[in-house]
Amino acid sequence: MITTGWARYPSIDANFIFPDCNLNTAQLLDSSLSAIPRGMGRSYGDSALSANILSSERLDHLLAFEPETGILTCEAGVTLAEILSFAVPHGWFLPVTPGTKFVSVGGAIASDVHGKNHHVDGCFSDHVQSLVLRTATNETVICSASQNIKLFRATCGGMGLTGLIVEATIKLRPIETAFINETILKAGNLDEVFELFEEYSSASYSVAWIDCLSGGTKLGRSLLMLGEHTRLDELGRKSSDPLREKGGVTLPVPFNMPTFTLNQYSIRAFNTLYYHRVRKKVSEHCVHYEPFFYPLDGLSHWYRLYGKRGFVQYQCVFPMAESKRGMTKLLECISNAQKGSFLAVLKAFGPSNENYLSFPFEGYTLALDFKIEPDLAILLQKLDEIVLEHGGRLYLSKDSRMKQEMFQAGYPQLDAFRQVRRLWKADKLFHSLQSRRLGL
């Protein structure tokens, strides 16, 4: 069947295999199949695309839970949404979550996802106590930060290229309510938002939306959103059942939007309205966790906004010392090209972990969406040059067009990852369109 990533580019005619815990990977190797594991298909590009796809759809069981400690064991196909539905009523929350809850646990580990709290809590893998991996040699291997360490470091952030994650044990975080105390700070330009990030570096959660079409003295004008889990004594009488409240309704995007509707004028109008919807310099609200963490989950099939050709998501990170200079050049380039994104998100990263291909390191990251159109490649090449010039790199989970040279320059532990692949014969079986494009 014709299959794509979330951004709908590129596409491939793929054969889906639905393994259970007894998958014989050695048999796949003997039959010379090339395959890649896939969860919910929320990677944007081609990292989960191959001629043969090992879908974790049937690995969907919660296996064990310790209500006193918040330690949860589940199969790899369980989604973050399913964990939240189970855990929040018991007073537990995900330790790290990306911008959608519709990703699988296996996918979260393979992408080593980060969230609005990386600066204080790191990546998803930092809260994985152990995982079970089915290797190309048909071994079932338990990996952790203290057991089969190199395989663990290669698997977390390894984009499914070391084997099929079968199950994982993760440590959840305690909460008293399902609500978030949100503070929105209005920044007039990029300098201001960097100052605010530094001033509020102790906030549990922080993320900024940036108007990437504004220029001049308004370059990088932003809304910085901070969050803290609401305590029960802060919630008061707002809810009689504070751990079972539901978020908002989900609205569909029923069809592909005509490509001409998303242009510099419509994006500029949206950005202006979105920025000015916040009138005060500082606004405070108590909101349910769903709109705070997952605003786009309230709009099903939102990729249709970009039309049938799809879009490219571009996410880079700059080292701390180069972040402001790199971001300034990046935003100036985008503003001059008039190809802005209305989903431009800036976050602060804390120190990197030891996983070989994990994306975050200490600095700032910017994620942008661009509608696919004929001259987009020219802009993206210019952005690549800026990222390389300032010591940055791109996120594999969002990538669909990075060149080998940029990949090799951005990921210095690539050789260690390759060694693990060869040791476990993963290089004989597990491949994706992305891994072949990047020379893995």
Side-chain angles (χ1 to χ4, degrees):
M1 62 181 291
I2 302 299
T3 306
T4 71
W6 184 250
R8 307 180 84 182
Y9 171 82
S11 63
I12 188 173
D13 189 359
N15 170 46
F16 275 75
I17 301 168
F18 297 92
D20 57 21
C21 294
N22 299 313
L23 172 71
N24 190 331
T25 49
Q27 190 175 33
L28 297 177
L29 190 60
D30 290 341
S31 63
S32 299
L33 286 179
S34 174
I36 193 70
R38 178 183 172 101
M40 295 293 290
R42 289 296 179 118
S43 294
Y44 284 74
D46 54 1
S47 59
L49 297 180
S50 183
N52 297 284
I53 291 175
L54 303 176
S55 172
S56 65
E57 181 179 320
R58 296 177 185 172
L59 299 171
D60 60 352
H61 296 89
L62 298 175
L63 302 175
F65 180 64
E66 298 178 8
E68 299 83 10
T69 62
I71 296 175
L72 174 74
T73 300
C74 64
E75 291 182 327
V78 171
T79 66
L80 301 189
E82 290 165 338
I83 291 177
L84 290 167
S85 294
F86 169 78
V88 169
H90 290 89
W92 296 94
F93 198 75
L94 293 165
V96 168
T97 178
T100 174
K101 60 184 177 181
F102 299 119
V103 300
S104 67
V105 168
I109 295 171
S111 295
D112 204 8
V113 296
H114 55 271
K116 298 174 174 66
N117 58 336
H118 186 276
H119 60 294
V120 290
D121 291 316
C123 289
F124 192 86
S125 71
D126 296 316
H127 306 272
V128 174
Q129 296 198 335
S130 65
L131 61 87
V132 177
L133 189 74
R134 184 63 57 85
T135 67
T137 55
N138 208 40
E139 297 174 73
T140 300
V141 182
I142 299 175
C143 310
S144 70
S146 60
Q147 185 176 5
N148 292 305
I149 302 172
K150 290 183 179 180
L151 187 56
F152 181 77
R153 290 177 179 170
T155 299
C156 298
M159 307 310 294
L161 295 171
T162 60
L164 175 68
I165 300 171
V166 177
E167 66 180 64
T169 299
I170 60 177
K171 178 72 168 67
L172 304 180
R173 67 184 305 162
I175 55 172
E176 295 182 15
T177 79
F179 292 85
I180 297 290
N181 290 338
E182 180 186 48
T183 301
I184 302 178
L185 305 169
K186 204 167 184 179
N189 52 46
L190 194 63
D191 286 339
E192 282 188 30
V193 77
F194 270 103
E195 290 172 3
L196 289 172
F197 265 112
E198 186 173 344
E199 182 179 351
Y200 292 94
S201 60
S202 62
S204 295
Y205 302 101
S206 61
V207 62
W209 168 86
I210 287 187
D211 178 1
C212 59
L213 279 180
S214 59
T217 59
K218 297 179 180 179
L219 181 75
R221 65 178 180 179
S222 314
L223 299 175
L224 175 61
M225 288 152 276
L226 311 174
E228 303 289 342
H229 287 281
T230 306
R231 299 193 312 269
L232 192 59
D233 61 347
E234 295 174 319
L235 194 60
R237 297 182 179 180
K238 292 180 182 179
S239 172
S240 59
D241 200 354
L243 288 171
R244 292 186 181 271
E245 289 286 341
K246 297 293 182 182
V249 297
T250 300
L251 300 175
V253 180
F255 53 83
N256 295 320
M257 297 294 289
T259 55
F260 66 82
T261 60
L262 199 64
N263 53 57
Q264 61 172 302
Y265 305 107
S266 61
I267 293 174
R268 187 181 297 278
F270 172 86
N271 286 0
T272 299
L273 289 171
Y274 193 80
Y275 180 75
H276 288 293
R277 74 183 176 89
V278 178
R279 299 191 177 187
K280 297 179 181 179
K281 195 72 174 175
V282 180
S283 304
E284 296 180 341
H285 315 272
C286 180
V287 298
H288 191 266
Y289 75 80
E290 286 189 359
F292 180 80
F293 288 105
Y294 313 115
L296 284 177
D297 283 351
L299 200 61
S300 66
H301 305 294
W302 59 264
Y303 55 78
R304 291 173 176 165
L305 295 172
Y306 292 87
K308 63 181 181 180
R309 286 185 293 185
F311 65 99
V312 170
Q313 177 148 128
Y314 192 93
Q315 184 167 2
C316 62
V317 57
F318 291 104
M320 189 65 74
E322 293 293 320
S323 285
K324 189 181 291 187
R325 283 189 291 270
M327 291 293 179
T328 298
K329 287 188 177 181
L330 212 68
L331 290 173
E332 286 175 343
C333 185
I334 294 167
S335 179
N336 291 338
Q338 294 296 295
K339 289 187 181 296
S341 163
F342 64 84
L343 297 175
V345 177
L346 179 69
K347 291 195 290 278
F349 281 162
S352 61
N353 57 32
E354 296 184 85
N355 302 331
Y356 303 136
L357 297 187
S358 189
F359 169 64
F361 56 66
E362 192 165 17
Y364 284 84
T365 179
L366 181 66
L368 306 139
D369 292 342
F370 296 104
K371 178 183 69 174
I372 290 178
E373 48 191 338
D375 57 347
L376 177 61
I378 298 172
L379 171 63
L380 296 180
Q381 180 59 38
K382 291 179 181 178
L383 301 187
D384 286 351
E385 293 169 3
I386 294 170
V387 172
L388 280 175
E389 178 188 353
H390 293 277
R393 65 183 176 209
L394 303 184
Y395 190 15
L396 290 172
S397 190
K398 306 292 180 72
D399 165 58
S400 61
R401 33 74 58 194
M402 186 183 355
K403 295 180 180 178
Q404 287 188 29
E405 297 76 16
M406 185 164 191
F407 174 53
Q408 293 168 0
Y411 287 86
Q413 297 193 81
L414 180 56
D415 285 343
F417 177 77
R418 284 183 168 135
Q419 288 174 15
V420 174
R421 286 251 295 163
R422 288 193 294 268
L423 178 64
W424 292 93
K425 292 185 169 58
D427 60 329
K428 305 296 184 183
L429 174 60
F430 296 106
H431 299 277
S432 64
L433 293 187
Q434 181 183 64
S435 72
R436 294 188 184 281
R437 172 169 50 83
L438 296 179
L440 279 170

